[in-house]
Amino acid sequence: MLKSKTFLKKTRAGGVMKIVREHYLRDDIGCGAAGCTACGGAHEGPALEPQPQDLASSLCPQPHYLLPDTNVLLHQIDVLEDPAIRNVIVLQTVLQEVRNRSAPVYKRIRDVTNNQEKHFYTFTNEHHRETYVEQEKGENANDRNDRAIRVAAKWYNEHLKKMSTDNQLQVIFITNDRKNKEKAVEEGIPAFTCEEYIKSLTANPELIDRLACLSEEGNEIESGKIIFSEHLPLSKLQQGIKSGTYLQGTFRASRENYLEATVWIHGDNEENKEIILQGLKHLNRAIHEDIVAVELLPKSQWVAPSSVVLHDEGQNEDDVEKEEEREQMLKTAVSEKMLKPTGRVVGIIKRNWRPYCGMLSKSDIKESRRHLFTPADKRIPRIRIETRQASTLEGRRIIVAIDGWPRNSRYPNGHFVKNLGDVGEKETETEVLLLEHDVPHQPFSQAVLSFLPKMPWSITEKDMKNREDLRHLCICSVDPPGCTDIDDALHCRELENGNLEVGVHIADVSHFIRPGNALDQESARRGTTVYLCEKRIDMVPELLSSNLCSLKCDVDRLAFSCIWEMNHSAEILKTKFTKSVINSKASLTYAEAQLRIDSANIRDDITTSLRGLNKLAKILKKRRIEKGALTLSSPEVRFHMDSETHDPIDLQTKELRETNSMVEEFMLLANISVAKKIHEEFSEHALLRKHPAPPPSNYEILVKAARSRNLEIKTDTAKSLAESLDQAESPTFPYLNTLLRILATRCMMQAVYFCSGMDNDFHHYGLASPIYTHFTSPIRRYADVIVHRLLAVAIGADCTYPELTDKHKLADICKNLNYRHKMAQYAQRASVAFHTQLFFKSKGLVSEEAYILFVRKNAIVVLIPKYGLEGTVFFEEKDKPNPRLIYDDEIPSLKIEDTVFHVFDKVKVKIMLDSSNLQHQKLRMSLVEPQIPGISLPPDDISNMNLNGPEKKKMKLEK
């Protein structure tokens, strides 16, 4: 049966176009119930069970299927994903509405419907002759869809009666819309709210915890005192943004101070790019990463960023007076130039909530079901949840989702989603840090794995097309120990004309990952391989990363080669790019390569090649530094693991050798050469990488710190910064230069990927290069895969495809890659922090020398060179008299009683694992030297420190 709609549409040219929309209605669409004789097996794929037995509902004791409306799917997806909920009918009307309103929920619903064990069935009601409804005159789309859902529910109940005379099967309509429910009941459809139905499942009480609490009024706490001002409706916000009354931006909460945040304003307006918010009422229920509208306060109310470290650790949930006291701490007299544009949140444009990992702070009230959840991410406020399993969840890592934040509640409301496991356990903590940093880490799906080459794999004649055979060359790779995903290999040989030929050979990953297939999409989504302390989350499946793409020695591998002809002064005379086949003659570690170069009695081809490369690399590095490239420093640590328990038994800073630098120089050279080539060929859609110059204000901390040591750091250009860092030496304090370089690293901007057609500034500040890209690590970075594809098209070795030459698509890819790289970096740091804690847990108390990196109003931040470890020494503690503190921002310095601390001062600190807060177990540092009465610890006494909190918690941790 065919329905058609006809309407007229005006074209851009002013003409009129007649559009006919045809809508086919069928009577061969199955109901999804297995064994339904009326449908005769018209449906395919996952089906509903003929006799659902699993749910014992006190409201509906007979067997039944569930049919939820759109809002239930959108807001109660955590309940629907629970294994206890099965046999659910998802209507096409509902699915389409969900797809339009929330892409993440739509994806989760698709995953659930594909899970055969869940028995979710998608019913195409919009194309079924008996369930299709047309929009009536005066009826809005929402009401029409509600009616369509009720019609489908009614049809199901009548249809199921035909299955057999004694059949008691029912379809229960689940809706939280009061009017819709009333209409359904009038029409004889069994209907309940989600809460009513879930509470009726007596055998599954744990499901109640997963219910999202939606009605904000119903959840407003009894006190009823309004704390926050009302959020303005979206229409008013849009008008205000248009007129310039309000500004739109991204809300960024502070890790160090829960009463402070900044809003990064969207758009190109250079003035007021960043707005400060201070105090609970001005933050007005915005949560980290929300898109908000802010109103700028008058200049008389502007504030300076606070130097106070404040964490929300109060037990009394709604003690707002206490908050106001703490807000006063933030306001101190500062010079006018320190004041920053200050504002308040007037409304939320888009919530960016996600499920949060953390721990339950169990209520002190006995039998209470209301508890506070403390997220692992300190930028997220605590969340109030209701749960009956508080005693089970105590000491566990759990996931909670936010449902809403009423105006009269100090904290948002949420619900329990999942129990991850015991706190402190390696598997649990690794899962937490991957989830918290949004690192995709699920096993690769079958759809992705289906695009891998079939084993045994070998190079065919077809593969050799447009490829050069370089298997005769003496190529070798140099990598860290234990590396299995070898991206790059090198060679150097003398030519007959006396010049040198140098080759950088990179794994040809784009040969195996073809554009647009599931493997390509998954690699693009992941964006990068994430290296944790003892785990690697691959961007591509292991068959490629550790085998077919890895340039292991003594096997033939496909590569993409960049080959230069150079003179002995490392000047490039010719550059050639070619797809190739190579056979690496050795896979060396940096230490092994260094040993060969240094041993005068080794003279084989590999060693000769390495010596040639090393000599050229030194010249290249010298030339690069002369141009103004920066040599910065960041303390990197390496753990030595116990082979049985995999616990860290030693911790030391990484040692860098000449060979590290040698490989780096040629990778940089290859990346620059490829960047020039792809930009020549594709000026509008080359994928490049830039490093913006930091704004002068970023350097303030570095300049002040150097000045306190009578040293001058010039920051007008990268070259002057590099030169002044080279000259900033102190014969009596050799480590000072490293500290300055570490501090300089903190002043830098983040390097980013971008599309050449969407930007004018290509310069890479840190490398002092006018153009740069990433070509040399395609096994672990998706950016390099795109660059390989561009280069392959440029040299005629592969064909192009539409997305490759679409600058908007490329800009979207860059945006995702920048996000994934940033998150991978944070996840790696979190992994190092966790393993450092494990190390000190087994080591007990340690006293070490440290240097001050920053001074704050009530703390100093120190670096311990031996472990490459950073930590904060606080001088104000709960339940202790506060010392006399005088903070001077100009020098910067902090005077405690009669002792003055400056940046780079040497101190001695005691390091211990503080487990008094299970959620944020942290390394606690206390001052040992210089001795300040009442502040410093005696070198051999920590009896005054309760590091394990309550005994019960201590037991739990040592399980």
Side-chain angles (χ1 to χ4, degrees):
M1 183 180 165
L2 185 66
K3 293 247 175 193
S4 64
K5 261 186 198 170
T6 308
F7 53 93
L8 302 175
K9 187 182 175 184
K10 199 173 181 181
T11 64
R12 276 186 180 175
V16 174
M17 187 162 67
K18 183 179 179 183
I19 293 177
V20 179
R21 286 254 166 89
E22 293 183 339
H23 191 88
Y24 288 87
L25 297 182
R26 302 165 53 165
D27 43 23
D28 60 348
I29 295 170
C31 69
C36 174
T37 48
C39 296
H43 52 265
E44 286 175 11
L48 303 160
E49 291 178 294
Q51 286 297 315
Q53 299 298 337
D54 33 38
L55 292 177
S57 165
S58 56
L59 289 172
C60 183
Q62 64 262 52
H64 54 270
Y65 302 139
L66 301 177
L67 192 149
D69 73 358
T70 309
N71 282 330
V72 170
L73 236 67
L74 280 169
H75 301 300
Q76 304 293 358
I77 180 70
D78 289 323
V79 173
L80 295 171
E81 283 177 333
D82 193 282
I85 302 290
R86 295 151 51 139
N87 295 296
V88 175
I89 298 158
V90 181
L91 297 180
Q92 181 189 1
T93 310
V94 170
L95 206 54
Q96 281 169 346
E97 278 195 287
V98 169
R99 187 178 193 172
N100 294 336
R101 285 169 62 182
S102 171
V105 175
Y106 177 74
K107 185 185 181 305
R108 286 168 74 180
I109 277 295
R110 297 300 308 181
D111 290 346
V112 174
T113 47
N114 290 333
N115 178 354
Q116 308 241 349
E117 290 170 13
K118 291 277 287 171
H119 298 284
F120 272 50
Y121 179 68
T122 310
F123 178 60
T124 322
N125 64 311
E126 295 290 354
H127 288 279
H128 194 289
R129 190 199 293 266
E130 292 178 49
T131 56
Y132 172 73
V133 300
E134 286 204 36
Q135 196 167 338
E136 291 170 355
K137 208 174 177 184
E139 185 179 44
N140 66 28
N142 206 25
D143 290 344
R144 181 259 167 210
N145 287 348
D146 283 349
R147 189 162 58 85
I149 295 167
R150 291 197 306 274
V151 165
K154 194 168 185 180
W155 175 84
Y156 254 105
N157 275 317
E158 286 166 4
H159 176 81
L160 292 175
K161 285 176 188 165
K162 298 174 191 169
M163 274 178 73
S164 65
T165 47
D166 59 342
N167 185 24
Q168 292 185 313
L169 252 179
Q170 271 192 321
V171 167
I172 294 179
F173 178 39
I174 305 290
T175 177
N176 288 331
D177 181 333
R178 195 164 43 85
K179 281 187 182 166
N180 203 8
K181 186 188 162 199
E182 283 168 8
K183 284 182 183 171
V185 172
E186 278 169 27
E187 291 168 21
I189 303 163
F192 303 108
T193 66
C194 193
E195 195 171 335
E196 286 169 346
Y197 179 75
I198 294 301
K199 284 184 174 173
S200 78
L201 303 176
T202 46
N204 300 84
E206 75 285 350
L207 276 175
I208 299 170
D209 289 353
R210 299 187 76 166
L211 277 171
C213 41
L214 294 173
S215 74
E216 292 208 342
E217 296 75 23
N219 279 298
E220 294 202 345
I221 41 169
E222 290 69 26
S223 70
K225 186 182 172 189
I226 299 293
I227 302 170
F228 300 102
S229 54
E230 201 167 345
H231 286 153
L232 297 179
L234 200 55
S235 54
K236 278 197 177 167
L237 296 179
Q238 283 163 339
Q239 279 170 10
I241 289 163
K242 211 171 181 181
S243 68
T245 317
Y246 307 136
L247 297 165
Q248 175 177 327
T250 305
F251 182 89
R252 300 268 165 84
S254 161
R255 268 195 180 88
E256 293 190 335
N257 187 338
Y258 74 101
L259 294 174
E260 190 169 278
T262 48
V263 173
W264 286 79
I265 301 305
H266 300 169
D268 301 325
N269 179 11
E270 281 309 305
E271 194 191 7
N272 301 341
K273 196 80 186 141
E274 195 182 331
I275 290 174
I276 282 194
L277 312 175
Q278 254 184 26
L280 266 189
K281 290 177 183 173
H282 286 167
L283 301 180
N284 198 3
R285 298 172 287 156
I287 289 171
H288 185 63
E289 292 292 346
D290 283 350
I291 308 294
V292 297
V294 288
E295 178 181 46
L296 214 54
L297 296 174
K299 277 197 172 172
S300 59
Q301 293 179 37
W302 284 14
V303 297
S306 164
S307 302
V308 176
V309 178
L310 272 186
H311 294 149
D312 180 12
E313 286 169 351
Q315 275 308 308
N316 189 352
E317 300 186 5
D318 296 290
D319 192 350
V320 179
E321 283 73 19
K322 191 79 186 268
E323 305 293 358
E324 285 165 4
E325 266 175 52
R326 298 187 96 173
E327 281 171 29
Q328 286 311 311
M329 277 177 68
L330 307 183
K331 296 175 175 53
T332 48
V334 284
S335 62
E336 195 135 316
K337 68 176 182 25
M338 295 294 290
L339 298 176
K340 294 273 165 76
T342 308
R344 68 184 187 97
V345 171
V346 290
I348 309 288
I349 292 160
K350 182 173 180 276
R351 287 289 194 193
N352 270 327
W353 296 343
R354 59 179 175 84
Y356 300 104
C357 298
M359 288 182 74
L360 198 67
S361 308
K362 197 167 169 236
S363 170
D364 295 337
I365 304 163
K366 217 177 170 191
E367 301 300 313
S368 173
R369 287 182 183 172
R370 282 192 162 184
H371 307 276
L372 277 179
F373 162 84
T374 309
D377 186 341
K378 288 185 178 171
R379 294 168 302 187
I380 307 299
R382 294 153 107 195
I383 302 163
R384 184 185 287 107
I385 67 166
E386 281 197 32
T387 176
R388 288 153 184 74
Q389 29 179 349
S391 44
T392 317
L393 298 178
E394 211 182 357
R396 297 289 184 95
R397 291 281 194 183
I398 62 172
I399 298 179
V400 160
I402 296 179
D403 300 322
W405 195 339
R407 285 176 61 198
N408 60 355
S409 170
R410 168 68 185 82
Y411 297 109
N413 293 325
H415 65 274
F416 166 76
V417 176
K418 190 180 178 187
N419 180 351
L420 293 172
D422 284 339
V423 70
E425 282 190 0
K426 217 177 298 180
E427 290 71 23
T428 306
E429 296 302 330
T430 302
E431 179 74 7
V432 167
L433 74 87
L434 291 171
L435 288 167
E436 277 300 291
H437 295 99
D438 194 14
V439 174
H441 60 287
Q442 292 73 25
F444 289 98
S445 68
Q446 274 314 116
V448 169
L449 297 174
S450 67
F451 285 97
L452 292 175
K454 302 289 172 278
M455 296 300 283
W457 174 85
S458 60
I459 296 169
T460 64
E461 224 170 284
K462 189 184 168 194
D463 294 335
M464 290 303 293
K465 199 180 162 212
N466 297 326
R467 234 174 244 286
E468 223 171 292
D469 192 338
L470 303 179
R471 285 177 280 201
H472 59 285
L473 291 177
C474 183
I475 293 170
C476 69
S477 63
V478 185
D479 289 282
C483 178
T484 59
D485 51 345
I486 303 170
D487 282 293
D488 53 88
L490 300 154
H491 88 271
C492 173
R493 63 175 181 166
E494 197 158 332
L495 299 171
E496 286 173 4
N497 61 9
N499 289 331
L500 297 168
E501 178 188 85
V502 176
V504 165
H505 311 276
I506 305 299
D508 188 5
V509 179
S510 63
H511 173 84
F512 296 97
I513 301 180
R514 302 309 295 162
N517 68 22
L519 177 56
D520 182 45
Q521 286 171 2
E522 182 60 20
S523 307
R525 185 174 82 92
R526 293 185 178 219
T528 177
T529 292
V530 181
Y531 295 90
L532 305 180
C533 288
E534 48 172 329
K535 191 175 186 176
R536 190 178 81 198
I537 313 293
D538 281 325
M539 180 184 86
V540 298
E542 197 178 8
L543 178 67
L544 295 183
S545 67
S546 295
N547 188 350
L548 303 185
C549 290
S550 186
L551 304 180
K552 300 189 291 188
C553 60
D554 302 324
V555 286
D556 292 351
R557 286 290 177 259
L558 302 178
F560 209 146
S561 300
C562 172
I563 300 168
W564 303 280
E565 185 177 329
M566 290 181 177
N567 59 24
H568 287 264
S569 305
E571 287 160 339
I572 297 171
L573 308 171
K574 274 187 206 160
T575 307
K576 179 173 85 171
F577 303 103
T578 177
K579 290 236 178 180
S580 60
V581 179
I582 66 164
N583 188 304
S584 169
K585 303 298 179 273
S587 299
L588 305 172
T589 65
Y590 291 118
E592 287 166 350
Q594 192 67 55
L595 204 64
R596 280 173 176 255
I597 291 167
D598 297 342
S599 302
N601 55 346
I602 307 180
R603 292 192 187 85
D604 61 5
D605 289 351
I606 292 168
T607 310
T608 308
S609 174
L610 286 169
R611 285 189 185 126
L613 290 165
N614 198 35
K615 191 176 150 209
L616 292 169
K618 284 178 182 173
I619 302 168
L620 288 168
K621 185 170 187 175
K622 186 167 175 280
R623 196 177 299 150
R624 210 163 48 78
I625 287 168
E626 278 165 8
K627 275 190 193 168
L630 297 173
T631 312
L632 298 176
S633 180
S634 63
E636 281 196 69
V637 295
R638 161 154 290 159
F639 293 94
H640 292 275
M641 300 292 184
D642 183 298
S643 56
E644 294 293 317
T645 64
H646 296 289
D647 283 342
I649 46 176
D650 194 15
L651 172 63
Q652 60 190 63
T653 46
K654 285 184 187 173
E655 187 187 341
L656 293 179
R657 295 179 172 82
E658 252 184 24
T659 43
N660 291 71
S661 181
M662 175 188 85
V663 173
E664 185 186 6
E665 285 308 314
F666 288 107
M667 297 306 119
L668 293 175
L669 194 61
N671 287 335
I672 292 167
S673 298
V674 170
K676 287 175 183 167
K677 178 69 177 172
I678 61 173
H679 185 246
E680 264 169 37
E681 289 290 328
F682 306 105
S683 59
E684 283 292 292
H685 42 257
L687 190 153
L688 302 174
R689 186 163 176 83
K690 68 171 179 173
H691 182 215
S697 60
N698 277 30
Y699 286 124
E700 270 176 26
I701 184 98
L702 175 69
V703 172
K704 282 180 187 175
R707 200 183 298 136
S708 73
R709 295 277 156 178
N710 299 318
L711 294 168
E712 189 189 1
I713 298 283
K714 292 182 179 152
T715 60
D716 43 338
T717 65
K719 188 169 171 58
S720 59
L721 174 65
E723 283 171 358
S724 53
L725 280 171
D726 286 342
Q727 287 157 16
E729 297 280 355
S730 164
T732 56
F733 186 0
Y735 196 64
L736 177 65
N737 191 265
T738 306
L739 286 169
L740 283 165
R741 289 180 195 276
I742 289 170
L743 217 49
T745 308
R746 306 294 166 90
C747 302
M748 294 299 142
M749 306 291 282
Q750 190 83 31
V752 288
Y753 296 110
F754 68 102
C755 170
S756 58
M758 308 286 272
D759 211 319
N760 303 320
D761 174 25
F762 293 8
H763 191 76
H764 196 293
Y765 180 80
L767 297 172
S769 173
I771 192 165
Y772 192 65
T773 192
H774 271 164
F775 163 76
T776 55
S777 295
I779 295 177
R780 59 187 177 90
R781 289 189 306 230
Y782 187 75
D784 304 51
V785 175
I786 296 284
V787 168
H788 276 227
R789 288 173 182 169
L790 288 164
L791 185 62
V793 174
I795 64 168
D798 206 343
C799 51
T800 186
Y801 58 99
E803 283 80 9
L804 195 63
T805 50
D806 181 335
K807 63 181 182 182
H808 297 287
K809 288 258 168 68
L810 212 55
D812 286 344
I813 288 173
C814 289
K815 189 180 173 187
N816 179 55
L817 292 177
N818 291 331
Y819 170 70
R820 292 292 183 208
H821 276 264
K822 185 173 74 179
M823 285 307 174
Q825 217 175 359
Y826 291 160
Q828 283 154 7
R829 282 183 206 159
S831 179
V832 168
F834 173 63
H835 280 78
T836 307
Q837 287 177 14
L838 287 181
F839 170 70
F840 282 105
K841 183 182 171 185
S842 62
K843 200 151 177 73
L845 295 168
V846 182
S847 284
E848 291 295 346
E849 283 181 349
Y851 293 99
I852 298 176
L853 275 184
F854 305 101
V855 290
R856 303 266 188 251
K857 267 187 187 170
N858 59 347
I860 54 172
V861 179
V862 298
L863 174 79
I864 298 164
K866 183 177 174 183
Y867 300 122
L869 185 64
E870 206 176 298
T872 308
V873 179
F874 289 99
F875 295 117
E876 290 179 333
E877 288 195 50
K878 272 188 242 166
D879 314 323
K880 278 193 178 180
N882 284 346
R884 200 172 71 250
L885 301 176
I886 301 167
Y887 173 69
D888 184 336
D889 183 56
E890 281 305 306
I891 300 176
S893 70
L894 178 66
K895 187 175 181 183
I896 303 163
E897 300 299 343
D898 298 317
T899 308
V900 182
F901 291 98
H902 297 94
V903 176
F904 304 147
D905 279 358
K906 192 175 186 176
V907 293
K908 195 167 192 181
V909 294
K910 194 153 252 176
I911 316 163
M912 54 220 111
L913 182 65
D914 179 355
S915 306
S916 57
N917 177 344
L918 277 182
Q919 158 82 330
H920 288 118
Q921 287 186 58
K922 56 186 175 219
L923 290 178
R924 187 155 158 197
M925 297 197 184
S926 301
L927 196 65
V928 176
E929 286 172 18
Q931 272 290 319
I932 305 173
I935 299 286
S936 305
L937 285 183
D940 51 1
D941 174 39
I942 60 133
S943 57
N944 60 338
M945 303 199 72
N946 172 20
L947 297 184
N948 294 309
E951 278 306 302
K952 186 173 77 172
K953 290 189 178 178
K954 183 179 174 184
M955 293 295 293
K956 211 161 235 172
L957 191 70
E958 290 171 354
K959 261 196 231 175

